[in-house]
Amino acid sequence: MRAAVETVRIDGLPVRLHTMAAREPVRDDTDPTVVFVHGIGMSHRSFARSQRAVAAEHRTISVDLPGFGWLPAAGRRLSIEELGDVVVRAVRHLVDDDLVLVGQSMGTQVVIESARRHPDAVTAIVLVGPVIDAERRSLPMQALDLSRDGFVEGVRMNTVLVTDYLRSMRQYLRELGPMLRYPTEQTITEVTQPVLVVRGTQDPIARHDWSARLAAAAPDGTFVELAG
């Protein structure tokens, strides 16, 4: 199963969309499209295996945000709010379905904003390894947690992470500030759609108590913890 790739521009910002679905997926006209949004420094590659699995039954779109995934740097800092708007507007170039948005790391903040700003389009969101823990909102703490994460990730994911970081360094540095300042624990209270918070038991960045509190703060939140 291979993805169809298309780049669209939203207010001059390039967004790359990787669309994948089985030739005869088990779906009907009411099924949502599942959209994957990567974390800071990353690309669609971080969701490659997840997208293939979900594409067996749903249309899926994996996003490369402006400045990431081999796209040129935006030339300026982009707010989380702006990125949340850009994702929905870009995906709407391809589909009119209801959207379930799956974000990881900074991507969790982006999909929260997508849900807040486009409640007519987004029916639910999934937050995988959400950031930033309000009690660890500093660059040194996040850098320490990220280094710890490298020791528990597999070789494949570490290879993806390092190569994506190197390619996106200019935009990565611009987005650190917005990511660190974004008040995830506050904005999640304004998301009326169902919210699923997911973390792995070995995740040193999205820790148990923080992830559980975030799910509890959502009006319709659920917390799931997976081994590993």
Side-chain angles (χ1 to χ4, degrees):
M1 192 186 309
R2 299 188 64 177
V5 182
E6 180 176 345
T7 300
V8 300
R9 288 188 173 270
I10 305 298
D11 297 336
L13 296 171
V15 182
R16 187 169 292 134
L17 306 175
H18 304 254
T19 303
M20 185 182 297
R23 294 194 177 191
E24 295 182 1
V26 182
R27 57 171 286 144
D28 59 39
D29 291 339
T30 64
D31 285 345
T33 291
V34 180
V35 180
F36 297 93
V37 183
H38 61 80
I40 189 169
M42 302 293 285
S43 73
H44 71 282
R45 297 196 301 163
S46 60
F47 274 119
R49 287 180 291 178
S50 299
Q51 184 177 14
R52 283 196 298 271
V54 176
E57 295 189 1
H58 295 276
R59 179 185 292 115
T60 65
I61 299 174
S62 192
V63 176
D64 284 325
L65 296 172
F68 300 100
W70 301 278
L71 289 172
R76 62 182 177 86
R77 181 176 294 170
L78 303 174
S79 70
I80 301 300
E81 293 82 357
E82 185 174 6
L83 289 171
D85 188 54
V86 162
V87 165
V88 174
R89 291 172 61 194
V91 170
R92 277 291 188 241
H93 275 262
L94 298 184
V95 298
D96 291 325
D97 302 346
D98 290 337
L99 306 177
V100 172
L101 303 186
V102 183
Q104 185 266 334
S105 184
M106 187 188 76
T108 63
Q109 300 174 334
V110 174
V111 303
I112 286 172
E113 279 304 317
S114 295
R116 289 177 67 209
R117 300 167 75 85
H118 297 273
D120 55 330
V122 180
T123 61
I125 59 174
V126 182
L127 312 181
V128 182
V131 295
I132 295 286
D133 188 334
E135 296 179 356
R136 303 184 66 79
R137 197 186 299 278
S138 75
L139 187 56
M141 282 187 172
Q142 290 301 307
L144 177 61
D145 291 346
L146 181 61
S147 65
R148 289 171 175 163
D149 184 64
F151 287 105
V152 295
E153 292 285 3
V155 173
R156 176 191 175 279
M157 185 52 67
N158 274 329
T159 300
V160 169
L161 185 148
V162 171
T163 54
D164 278 353
Y165 274 19
L166 290 174
R167 292 185 176 102
S168 66
M169 188 55 64
R170 284 189 294 172
Q171 198 65 36
Y172 175 93
L173 294 174
R174 289 188 175 104
E175 299 308 323
L176 279 173
M179 182 185 72
L180 286 169
R181 291 190 296 269
Y182 183 78
T184 309
E185 68 281 6
Q186 296 175 23
T187 53
I188 193 67
T189 64
E190 301 175 25
V191 175
T192 57
Q193 303 94 317
V195 175
L196 175 63
V197 178
V198 182
R199 78 174 290 270
T201 54
Q202 297 180 36
D203 188 344
I205 301 173
R207 301 185 177 199
H208 173 91
D209 290 351
W210 154 250
S211 301
R213 287 200 312 272
L214 198 60
D220 185 5
T222 303
F223 174 47
V224 172
E225 202 164 35
L226 303 177

